[in-house]
Amino acid sequence: MTLKNRISLYVSLLFTVLFGLASTFIFILYSNFRKEDFRNRLETKALSSIKLLADVKENDRQIIKMIDQNSINQLYDEKTLIFDSNYNLIYSSIDDAKINWSVEDLKELKTNKTSFKKQGDYEVYGIFYDTKDKDFYALISANDSNGNRKLLYLRFILIISYLFFTAICWIVTSYTVKKVMSPLGSFHQKIKNINENNLDTRVEVKSNKNEIDLIANEFNFMMDRIEISYEKQKEFTAHASHELRTPLSRITSQIENFSTKKETDTETKSFLNTILSDVNQLTELIHSLLILSKLDSNKQDHNESHRLDEILFSSIEKLNKTFPDFVIHFEIEENENLDSLLEIKGNKTLLEIAISNVLKNACVYSDNKQAKVKISCKNHNLIISVSNTGKTLNESEQKTLFEPFMRGQNSKGTTGFGLGLRIVQRILSLHKAKIIYSVPNENTNLFQLLFHF
């Protein structure tokens, strides 16, 4: 999970939890308020009933009417029971509601003075009232339908608002984090596109007031140091290679001149030819290193248009001079747009070096001195395929195939330094192209040069 998504998730979850806790807290507070308010109403009703009973004469028929007149309120399914000090029921309201009670409940009520509990959908309030002459026990039960309806409505409102504002929070948080982190995305894209060919790329810094710009600033300083070090390394390689070529050329010339003299015996000539072969290999290595050091996109001209098939034919012609016994089977896929697609912008010399190295590689590692070259189009790519039969590379060797000085098990008995394919990859990278190696069939090596159009 990306940092942007992780921040959005954490902030949204935090808000969701906090809003959920706040909604729960509000609901609990209102529920307790409703319960306490209803308890107070029941208490007021119970006390008023007891006082009326205590103030009137016993067996007075007007008691019920007086209590009923005093009981006009919002209570629903109200039931009132009043007992004397001997636990005898002396008053019962006229409705059909029932209250479950026992003498033990009344004794406990005398001890605790008041009680409040729930019986099913009803809430029961009990109170012990002590007068100078008599003791009274009152139990009153009722259903707070109005308060419960308000509580249900509040719960509905809280749930709907919780879902709505949670969704809004997730959307707003995601948008806000994306907006805030957009400079980091640009920063990542810049870094992602940096390679050895564009070390001069820098990240734009708008200010030094936020952490992302501070990191970008330090990154630019680091890239400055890396570019300077890389340039010095390339300059050293180029100068060293150039300086070594002169003495090697003199050594080669002297060995060739000495070996052609008549007085040089056969054994000496054989020895000199061995030395000459080693010197030629060293010269080739230095030439490859010199090419690598000069491969810089900022110093090469890539604006000229060239036909890729002409470059390919030129490379094949040069290869035939070095390997006259090597046979190349050429094929061009039929495509009405192919003629225009063969026109590419780039450096002709470098492209010839790249294609020549691939063809030479196919020649050296072929077991029948044959290779197949095909030009085709697929998925917006102009493809040059070079295949040959011979020993193939295993998976571990394929992963490091384009690394400098890498040579596979199939290179035993052949000369080389493992720089040819590295040079090909660097040249193609400068031309926004790439090279892919695969083993389509047993003992078949396939190199594909992909030029995107």
Side-chain angles (χ1 to χ4, degrees):
M1 184 182 293
T2 62
L3 178 62
K4 177 175 64 179
N5 293 337
R6 192 180 298 117
I7 293 175
S8 300
L9 177 63
Y10 289 163
V11 173
S12 300
L13 285 176
L14 179 62
F15 178 84
T16 301
V17 171
L18 291 177
F19 190 72
L21 291 175
S23 300
T24 304
F25 184 67
I26 292 172
F27 181 79
I28 291 174
L29 286 179
Y30 183 79
S31 178
N32 292 334
F33 170 77
R34 183 211 64 82
K35 180 189 267 188
E36 188 64 25
D37 180 66
F38 192 60
R39 179 183 180 280
N40 292 334
R41 290 163 60 192
L42 291 176
E43 181 181 11
T44 302
K45 175 62 171 49
L47 288 173
S48 63
S49 298
I50 292 174
K51 288 178 180 180
L52 284 174
L53 245 159
D55 293 338
V56 298
K57 295 180 180 180
E58 188 174 356
N59 298 325
D60 193 335
R61 295 190 177 186
Q62 297 299 320
I63 292 177
I64 294 177
K65 292 183 179 181
M66 293 172 64
I67 294 177
D68 287 341
Q69 291 175 357
N70 190 67
S71 301
I72 299 174
N73 50 47
Q74 296 297 323
L75 300 178
Y76 179 72
D77 283 347
E78 175 198 342
K79 177 71 173 181
T80 304
L81 301 178
I82 300 178
F83 304 85
D84 60 15
S85 57
N86 296 321
Y87 310 122
N88 296 316
L89 181 64
I90 59 175
Y91 171 76
S92 176
S93 60
I94 60 176
D95 56 37
D96 296 329
K98 294 183 180 180
I99 301 177
N100 297 323
W101 66 277
S102 65
V103 175
E104 296 298 327
D105 293 333
L106 299 180
K107 291 180 179 179
E108 184 179 350
L109 186 60
K110 185 175 183 180
T111 303
N112 298 328
K113 305 302 180 183
T114 62
S115 69
F116 187 70
K117 59 184 178 180
K118 193 172 181 64
Q119 288 184 358
D121 294 332
Y122 294 84
E123 290 167 286
V124 181
Y125 177 77
I127 186 171
F128 170 73
Y129 188 76
D130 185 11
T131 64
K132 296 179 180 180
D133 301 326
K134 298 179 181 180
D135 294 338
F136 293 94
Y137 302 87
L139 295 176
I140 181 168
S141 170
N143 184 354
D144 187 15
S145 59
N146 188 43
N148 287 326
R149 188 165 58 251
K150 291 179 181 179
L151 190 64
L152 288 175
Y153 182 71
L154 176 64
R155 183 171 65 181
F156 173 77
I157 291 297
L158 288 175
I159 291 174
I160 294 300
S161 60
Y162 173 77
L163 295 176
F164 176 76
F165 285 109
T166 297
I168 293 296
C169 169
W170 283 72
I171 295 172
V172 172
T173 301
S174 178
Y175 174 79
T176 304
V177 172
K178 183 178 179 181
K179 193 75 175 177
V180 172
M181 299 290 286
S182 58
L184 191 59
S186 302
F187 183 41
H188 170 261
Q189 194 61 37
K190 283 279 188 179
I191 296 175
K192 186 179 179 181
N193 294 330
I194 292 177
N195 53 43
E196 67 272 15
N197 299 320
N198 59 351
L199 290 176
D200 59 338
T201 302
R202 296 294 180 269
V203 179
E204 183 181 356
V205 179
K206 296 181 180 180
S207 67
N208 292 323
K209 295 182 179 180
N210 60 68
E211 289 77 3
I212 296 177
D213 287 332
L214 290 174
I215 294 174
N217 211 8
E218 292 300 323
F219 175 80
N220 290 336
F221 288 148
M222 180 190 69
M223 289 303 302
D224 289 338
R225 296 191 295 271
I226 291 176
E227 184 180 14
I228 293 172
S229 299
Y230 189 72
E231 289 297 328
K232 288 182 178 179
Q233 179 185 354
K234 285 171 52 177
E235 289 177 4
F236 172 78
T237 304
H239 292 323
S241 300
H242 182 75
E243 293 299 326
L244 287 172
R245 291 178 67 180
T246 302
L248 286 174
S249 298
R250 288 200 298 266
I251 292 173
T252 300
S253 177
Q254 292 174 5
I255 292 175
E256 289 176 347
N257 291 334
F258 190 78
S259 62
T260 57
K261 291 183 178 180
K262 295 181 179 180
E263 57 269 22
T264 305
D265 55 62
T266 305
E267 184 178 354
T268 303
K269 286 183 179 182
S270 177
F271 176 72
L272 291 175
N273 287 334
T274 302
I275 296 176
L276 184 61
S277 177
D278 292 337
V279 172
N280 288 334
Q281 288 188 38
L282 185 58
T283 302
E284 183 180 352
L285 172 61
I286 292 173
H287 180 67
S288 298
L289 291 173
L290 189 59
I291 292 175
L292 281 174
S293 67
K294 291 182 178 180
L295 288 179
D296 188 345
S297 59
N298 295 327
K299 298 180 180 179
Q300 301 293 339
D301 183 14
H302 295 156
N303 295 321
E304 294 183 8
S305 296
H306 304 281
R307 285 188 62 88
L308 201 57
D309 53 345
E310 293 179 357
I311 296 175
L312 178 60
F313 293 145
S314 176
S315 301
I316 293 175
E317 184 179 351
K318 292 180 180 179
L319 183 69
N320 286 333
K321 293 179 180 180
T322 308
F323 302 95
D325 297 334
F326 189 69
V327 179
I328 294 179
H329 302 281
F330 185 76
E331 179 183 350
I332 298 182
E333 183 185 72
E334 293 185 4
N335 191 311
E336 58 182 8
N337 298 321
L338 186 62
D339 189 64
S340 60
L341 296 177
L342 288 171
E343 286 277 346
I344 66 170
K345 290 185 178 182
N347 186 288
K348 182 179 181 180
T349 303
L350 293 180
L351 290 173
E352 281 187 358
I353 292 174
I355 295 176
S356 296
N357 282 354
V358 176
L359 293 174
K360 180 181 177 182
N361 190 78
C363 173
V364 171
Y365 297 103
S366 173
D367 58 2
N368 59 358
K369 295 185 178 180
Q370 292 185 13
K372 181 180 178 181
V373 178
K374 180 181 179 180
I375 298 179
S376 59
C377 297
K378 185 178 180 182
N379 298 331
H380 299 284
N381 286 307
L382 178 67
I383 305 173
I384 298 179
S385 303
V386 180
S387 61
N388 71 320
T389 58
K391 294 181 180 180
T392 59
L393 301 178
N394 57 43
E395 292 184 2
S396 61
E397 291 174 334
Q398 292 180 31
K399 293 179 180 178
T400 58
L401 177 59
F402 300 102
E403 296 296 324
F405 303 103
M406 187 277 166
R407 305 195 75 200
Q409 296 293 327
N410 62 348
S411 63
K412 292 182 178 179
T414 60
T415 59
F417 301 98
L419 290 174
L421 292 178
R422 175 62 176 176
I423 292 174
V424 173
Q425 186 190 48
R426 288 285 302 279
I427 292 174
L428 293 180
S429 177
L430 293 177
H431 292 81
K432 310 299 182 185
K434 60 181 179 179
I435 180 171
I436 299 175
Y437 171 82
S438 60
V439 183
N441 300 305
E442 186 177 359
N443 295 329
T444 301
N445 298 285
L446 174 63
F447 285 94
Q448 291 179 304
L449 282 65
L450 282 69
F451 296 86
H452 190 74
F453 57 85

